[in-house]
Amino acid sequence: MTSLPVARPPHLLHDLLTFRTTPSPFIRPPHLLHDLLTFYATSSPFARPSHLSRDLLTYRATYSLRVPLQLCCGGAVSTQLITNSLDCCAGQSFDQREQICCAGRLFNRTDYDTCCGGQPIVHANQLCCGCQALPRSLNMRCCGVATYDRRSQFCCKDTVYDDADYDYATYQRLACCESTPYDRQTAGCCRKEIYNLAEEACCLGTLNNRTTEGALYCCGRNLIVLNNQGCCGNKVRGDGL
């Protein structure tokens, strides 16, 4: 009866030889040699390495990819792993997992987690509004360099307005034209300017007076009476097309 070949864990010898010929403090195959000897000592024609493949895959994923890299910072060379956790701060290398760099100064992540205007802050406790660190609360938001309570205020660009200044129906229709609020039912915003919808029309950023009766439409930057004039390629044509 022909005996079956002994099962061999794939890539094990290759990995072991690779490790032996290219040793590095960053590559340590845990129990690799021990597992290899144990497998061959107890193998049979039907043997399957129950834990060896799993351990080998773990080794290949965890250790074989951990190749040392180097970072040049302030004229000095630092060694790091492929995790790229090192960075420069004013010519000094630091580990981003442990520190943050704000305006060239290092701070421990145990005390702060981000920067605002060059100063370290705790994001959960402070808002960064226009590079200004301000106290944070549940319903506060930034409006320029100030904060506002979105439950009772609203922000147009960098200006805060109180909801109480408007009745509920009007408030629901408000929009911002730059830093000024307006009622969308009666007004519009054209090139940063608020205008009366009943008196003017905005055509491609140009305000036109509603001086005639009839169905008025924009043709390019002009306002035309559809029954009397035509429009082709944003150009007004005489009496119809």
Side-chain angles (χ1 to χ4, degrees):
M1 180 177 179
T2 304
S3 61
L4 297 175
V6 176
R8 302 180 187 280
H11 310 303
L12 189 57
L13 291 175
H14 173 269
D15 288 340
L16 184 61
L17 290 174
T18 301
F19 169 70
R20 299 292 293 176
T21 55
T22 59
S24 165
F26 299 96
I27 305 177
R28 302 181 185 279
H31 313 300
L32 190 57
L33 184 58
H34 173 268
D35 289 343
L36 180 64
L37 293 176
T38 301
F39 170 70
Y40 277 105
T42 61
S43 63
S44 71
F46 304 98
R48 295 183 183 276
S50 58
H51 301 294
L52 195 55
S53 295
R54 183 191 63 194
D55 292 342
L56 186 57
L57 289 174
T58 301
Y59 154 67
R60 288 171 65 81
T62 306
Y63 295 90
S64 63
L65 294 178
R66 297 181 67 180
V67 181
L69 303 176
Q70 291 182 315
L71 174 72
C72 179
C73 191
V77 176
S78 301
T79 301
Q80 64 175 333
L81 295 180
I82 204 168
T83 51
N84 290 328
S85 61
L86 293 186
D87 202 353
C88 289
C89 183
Q92 179 181 356
S93 64
F94 73 102
D95 191 329
Q96 298 178 83
R97 297 169 299 181
E98 299 176 358
Q99 296 177 300
I100 61 172
C101 177
C102 297
R105 294 177 298 165
L106 291 174
F107 301 89
N108 293 329
R109 283 196 176 274
T110 53
D111 302 320
Y112 308 98
D113 57 10
T114 189
C115 303
C116 178
Q119 299 298 321
I121 65 171
V122 178
H123 178 74
N125 301 330
Q126 295 172 289
L127 282 172
C128 186
C129 301
C131 295
Q132 299 292 323
L134 302 171
R136 178 190 291 274
S137 63
L138 181 61
N139 293 290
M140 300 303 288
R141 296 291 184 270
C142 288
C143 184
V145 295
T147 58
Y148 71 100
D149 189 333
R150 63 176 182 170
R151 297 170 299 180
S152 59
Q153 299 173 306
F154 66 96
C155 173
C156 280
K157 204 171 183 179
D158 298 336
T159 306
V160 177
Y161 295 90
D162 292 324
D163 294 356
D165 295 338
Y166 303 88
D167 61 76
Y168 180 78
T170 302
Y171 175 74
Q172 296 299 309
R173 301 191 302 264
L174 288 179
C176 294
C177 187
E178 288 296 289
S179 59
T180 305
Y182 68 95
D183 187 340
R184 289 175 295 176
Q185 181 173 299
T186 59
C189 181
C190 188
R191 289 281 180 95
K192 305 180 183 180
E193 181 180 349
I194 297 175
Y195 66 95
N196 190 320
L197 291 176
E199 299 175 355
E200 296 177 295
C202 182
C203 298
L204 294 181
T206 299
L207 282 176
N208 294 268
N209 293 325
R210 294 180 179 272
T211 56
T212 59
E213 297 293 333
L216 300 176
Y217 293 88
C218 286
C219 180
R221 297 180 180 275
N222 300 297
L223 192 65
I224 66 172
V225 180
L226 190 60
N227 293 335
N228 301 330
Q229 297 171 297
C231 182
C232 183
N234 284 335
K235 294 182 179 181
V236 179
R237 303 298 183 185
D239 296 331
L241 284 173

